[in-house]
Amino acid sequence: MRLATTVLGSIRQDMERDLREINRAVVDGVRDSGKGLKQDLAKQIVSAGLGARLSRSWRSRIFRNQGLNAASMVWSKAPHIVSAFDRGVVIRGRNSRWLAIPTPQAPKRGVDRKRIHPGNFPESRFGKLRFVYRPGRSSLLVVDGVRISAKTGRVGRQLKGGMYTKSGRLKSGVSTVVMFVMVPQVRLRKRLDVKLVAQQWAGRLPSVIDSALSR
């Protein structure tokens, strides 16, 4: 009787030890899969040409929970942007207004140091924006009377006294520069496939857990 109790106790200890090892492997495998998913989603963004900054918006977190029900959550800190490129959407101006798309000549930041738009455009430096309506084509917002560097191509400050000399001739090196292209809407083509990457890692999960179990 004592021998049977000892054997049962030993079997129970072995089973508990094996269960702990399996639970550890599940947690490790789920965590590794979450990290792998996050890395592949970041790579997908870079490959789509959407920039390293957006790729770094992905986060992952492991929930160990109890027993064998560990979970890993992967999310983006820029969900609206990721969702737009994941679905492919049409972006329209608010209240049927125009969308202002900055040109390469426009400054990157406005007077509030935020991303440039007509509302924060530094008119004290470049002058007032002028709306140019073009029937059947995209309209424009331009600035007049600015110089463009022949060496760098950068737009300089607006010249005092306007674009023309007293004799009515255009001043040398002075131009009208397009700062924004105005369009009623923009269609973003689908450039990401978050679901596909998630499904791929879900299919790999058993093998990842098996690898973790052998460590």
Side-chain angles (χ1 to χ4, degrees):
M1 190 69 176
R2 184 176 299 174
L3 178 61
T5 303
T6 303
V7 171
L8 288 174
S10 177
I11 293 175
R12 185 181 296 109
Q13 290 177 358
D14 290 342
M15 291 179 65
E16 290 176 350
R17 183 179 64 252
D18 291 344
L19 187 59
R20 287 195 298 270
E21 283 299 306
I22 293 173
N23 187 64
R24 178 197 59 78
V26 169
V27 172
D28 290 348
V30 170
R31 183 189 60 243
D32 293 345
S33 294
K35 289 182 177 179
L37 173 58
K38 181 183 74 171
Q39 292 171 357
D40 282 359
L41 289 173
K43 291 177 182 178
Q44 187 183 68
I45 286 178
V46 174
S47 298
L50 299 178
R53 183 176 181 181
L54 182 61
S55 72
R56 293 193 294 269
S57 70
W58 287 109
R59 299 290 185 271
S60 65
R61 181 180 177 185
I62 180 70
F63 296 90
R64 296 176 179 273
N65 299 327
Q66 296 295 325
L68 303 177
N69 63 340
S72 186
M73 183 173 69
V74 179
W75 75 97
S76 172
K77 294 185 68 176
H80 299 298
I81 299 176
V82 171
S83 178
F85 285 106
D86 185 49
R87 294 182 292 118
V89 297
V90 175
I91 301 177
R92 296 181 175 88
R94 294 181 180 178
N95 301 321
S96 300
R97 294 181 178 178
W98 302 92
L99 288 173
I101 303 175
T103 67
Q105 287 73 36
K108 302 300 181 184
R109 303 288 175 181
V111 292
D112 54 3
R113 305 307 302 165
K114 295 182 179 180
R115 184 173 296 179
I116 192 70
H117 57 80
N120 66 358
F121 186 79
E123 292 187 347
S124 60
R125 179 180 178 186
F126 298 104
K128 291 186 176 182
L129 291 167
R130 177 168 62 87
F131 182 75
V132 179
Y133 178 70
R134 302 192 300 173
R137 302 170 65 187
S138 298
S139 297
L140 309 172
L141 284 178
V142 305
V143 291
D144 299 311
V146 294
R147 289 191 184 277
I148 299 180
S149 172
K151 292 183 178 180
T152 65
R154 295 181 61 181
V155 180
R157 289 181 175 274
Q158 185 182 49
L159 295 181
K160 295 182 179 180
M163 299 178 61
Y164 300 94
T165 64
K166 292 182 179 180
S167 61
R169 297 180 61 183
L170 183 68
K171 293 179 180 179
S172 176
V174 178
S175 303
T176 292
V177 178
V178 178
M179 291 294 181
F180 297 92
V181 177
M182 310 297 287
V183 296
Q185 64 182 35
V186 174
R187 177 177 292 277
L188 298 180
R189 64 180 178 86
K190 180 178 174 65
R191 299 168 70 176
L192 303 175
D193 197 334
V194 175
K195 184 177 180 180
L196 176 61
V197 180
Q199 289 176 337
Q200 290 173 343
W201 272 100
R204 297 176 193 169
L205 182 58
S207 62
V208 177
I209 293 176
D210 186 59
S211 297
L213 187 60
S214 62
R215 292 203 292 263

